[in-house]
Amino acid sequence: MGKSIAYKILEKHLLHGELIPGKEIAIKIDQTLTQDSTGTMVYLQLEAMNVDEIKTDLSVAYIDHNTLQSGFENADDHAFIQSSALRHGVVYSKPGGGICHQVHLERFAKPCTTLIGSDSHTPTCGGIGAIAIGAGGLDVAIGMAQGIYFLTTPKVFKVELTGKLSSFVNGKDVILKVLQELTVKGGVGYIMEYGGEGVKNLSVTDRATICNMGAELGATTSIFPSDENTRDYLRRHDREDDYVEIYADEDAHYDEVIHINMDTLKPMTALPFSPDNVVSVQDTLKDKVKVDQVVIGSCTNSSYSDMMKVAAILKGKRVHPDVSLAIAPGSSNILRLLSENGALTTLIASGARILESACGPCIGMGQAPRSGAVSLRSFNRNFLGRDGGKDSKVYLVSPETAAASAVAGYLVDPEDLDLKFVFEEPESYGKVDHYFIFPDETHRSQDVQMGPNIKPFPVGKPAQEVVSGAVLLKTKDNVTTDDIVPSNAKMLPYRSNIPHLANFTFKTLVEDFKERAEKYEGGIIIGGDNYGQGSSREHAALVPLYLGVKAVIAKSFARIHRSNLINSGILPLVFKDLSDYDTVDEFDELVIEGVLNTLNEGTQYTVYNKTKDTSFIAELDISSRERDVLKLGGYLNFASKGDFGFERA
Ligand code: MIC
Ligand code: SF4
């Protein structure tokens, strides 16, 4: 049986274990990336590990999330990251340089390599044929320090593409279609691998858009072949030497397959408040959805070709008087190109608001819509409250749909416009280097700059024989890390201040989680399916740790959050019988005995509900490394011992 692209690359990087789905492996990490909202924690952890020099081929620290400097906090965090990153030999990308995933794709990502990033959309670089995985900050810190990453071997889900997109249909519509079919849980445990004769009709940027939103499927990552289109992309970015071809074998094994015919694909939209709540734009036309705000950008859809399509739609037109249109090109280089070729003039002349190249509104850093507004966004997440607005509703769409709707004033199908557009790709994209600081010897001895807002982070305690406590919260399915630790312009400046962030824990669900945790001196959380989906922020584990949460018992967990809980020393238990979820209520007293024993050699924990005098079984099926991590109270304690349990070549 032949091999998939994913398994070929994993095999080439395998340091430990066997490629058997469900089993833990360790792989060699070639590159890492961090961004600032998770990055402060990463560099604090790197400092705590006393690492002298990083072990990757390349690591980059991007500043793209917390760029609104309404107080000193964000700028202090940037200064801390800059000083720590450069000292360790990490390239620093200044604010304004662009969104980490877009810039990494343009400048550094290479086919057939491995990349981990402290951001859930790191899989974007799967568009160039890399195994690019989003991970918790501590995993990335250890990736830098040791060049190693542990993951559960995923299965491989093939998405067979046929046909060709018509000119106003975007890679975004492909992935929205996949989300419609598979839902936000459909990719859990899989690498999504794209193949079929339609692949050759997709540019690397469309591929990157598709891989980007594989994160919304819950997938470990997504990947495309590296082919002539990849070579062409690299050549135009003056990096043809980085080209390596990789295809799946003809008879490659796949665990699941779906087909998408791009010939018949129409513009799609994800309705509020979930990326899998997808319908075709045509289906919304009868309702004439009036639009108040349109925002184009984010790591999903801010490429040069996206921007040029938007400019073509806006050329000679006026943004509807009732609409605020904001546009954030993905990188400083794209912004430069748009300025040089006049497209920026077109955007400005239409009445658009031009934002700096950063995440911005995608993470609620500005442009919060007015109360009750409808906001169309070319982004990847539309969870309630993420935009910073009150009762506002975000629809996810392609840049083409967004631009056409900004002119019309309501959600329209760009294919209905009488417009011809041919994208002319520049022979050379050129580059902007001056937002980067490349580390050199002079940085090695520089002091680390720590602003007053940067506080020590909590570290777990070694596991105890008995874990007990009150149920502080019982959630429904698909709770996001945005629910656990909300993110917006007011909250993000405190990503390096866990005590302050703790005040906002679970605010989208209950007002008083912190008070509950204080009253009961910590406790246990009960979750539904896919608990902790969304962002990679390990704050969603560190803040509960700080508040004394010892275990989360859920129907199932999202991949990165589960690792973050283990890394923090919190037990992520799963109901053996899902109906037991119904037997537990908030504030019930739960007692789990024999924890250390079971961590040593079992998978089943008996949870006694003291309040109801009932018991149920919760499971934790983990690798021997993860058992040790939990026994020691977290990955930092484990990794400081420097022993991963196997000899490295
Ligand atoms: C997001 O899109 O939710 C973020 C903000 O980029 C997060 C990282 C974070 O919470 O800082 C992510 O996707 O991992
Ligand atoms: Fe930034 Fe949004 Fe992408 Fe997250 S999803 S990395 S906030 S642009």
Side-chain angles (χ1 to χ4, degrees), residues 35 37-38 65 119-120 363 381 386 495 535-537:
Q35 43 88 335
S37 67
T38 53
H65 280 62
D119 191 279
S120 65
I363 189 57
R381 291 184 173 145
R386 183 176 160 100
R495 282 296 184 89
S535 145
S536 68
R537 68 189 71 135

Side-chain angles (χ1 to χ4, degrees), residues 58 86 89-92 107-108 433-443:
L58 173 91
L86 290 172
V90 175
V91 178
Y92 179 71
R107 295 298 301 266
F108 303 118
D433 254 346
H434 290 169
Y435 290 88
F436 290 113
I437 304 177
F438 293 95
D440 62 32
E441 273 314 305
T442 60
H443 296 118

Side-chain angles (χ1 to χ4, degrees), residues 447-467:
D447 288 339
V448 173
Q449 294 179 34
M450 286 261 198
N453 181 48
I454 301 178
K455 304 282 184 233
F457 57 90
V459 179
K461 296 199 184 60
Q464 307 281 309
E465 193 57 15
V466 181
V467 167

Side-chain angles (χ1 to χ4, degrees), residues 31 171 209 215 237 251 333 372 375 545 570 584 595 598 606 620 628:
Q31 300 189 346
T209 297
H237 285 84
D251 59 343
N333 195 45
S375 177
L545 173 70
I570 298 176
V584 191
V595 171
T598 320
T606 304
L620 183 57
D628 289 342

Side-chain angles (χ1 to χ4, degrees), residues 317-335:
K317 304 268 176 18
R318 176 189 180 175
V319 173
H320 190 280
D322 297 341
V323 174
S324 165
L325 168 65
I327 303 178
S331 72
S332 51
N333 195 45
I334 295 171
L335 191 52

